[in-house]
Amino acid sequence: MDQSLFTYDIIAEDPKTHARAGVLHTPHGDIETPIFMPVGTRATVKGIPWETVRDLGAQIVLSNTYHLAMRPGADLIAEMGGLHSFMNWHGPILTDSGG
């Protein structure tokens, strides 16, 4: 993956704690930080339509790689055009190992 596709701009920093606010730029959109990130287990935020997730201000969704590997599996996700198409979420996605 080309690291130059991801950049971070610091908007504000606390001089005492060094806490920062900023914008993470990704190929799928910008993410203001700090951010609340809903979890899309098995590629969906349970019980909430994607339009509502976006309307609530979500800029990124976390998806669990382990759960996706168990079901539906990498082959099906690839056949569906990748995780963004499979989820029908075209904004940024962060995946974790689930461990």
Side-chain angles (χ1 to χ4, degrees), residues 20-59:
R20 296 174 296 202
V23 179
L24 175 63
H25 304 282
T26 77
H28 288 277
D30 294 341
I31 306 154
E32 298 172 359
T33 66
I35 188 73
F36 166 73
M37 188 180 324
V39 176
T41 304
R42 291 200 177 98
T44 187
V45 177
K46 303 299 185 238
I48 304 175
W50 286 119
E51 297 79 23
T52 304
V53 172
R54 173 105 35 219
D55 290 347
L56 289 171
Q59 300 171 6

Side-chain angles (χ1 to χ4, degrees), residues 57-78:
Q59 300 171 6
I60 186 170
V61 173
L62 182 131
S63 192
N64 183 285
T65 305
Y66 176 77
H67 292 151
L68 292 169
M70 295 294 98
R71 187 177 59 193
D75 292 339
L76 179 59
I77 292 171

Side-chain angles (χ1 to χ4, degrees), residues 2 4 7-8 10 16 20 22-23 29 38 43 48 53 70 72 76 82 84 95 97-99:
D2 185 352
S4 68
T7 60
Y8 183 74
I10 296 174
K16 292 181 182 178
R20 296 174 296 202
V23 179
I48 304 175
V53 172
M70 295 294 98
L76 179 59
H84 285 94
T95 57
S97 66

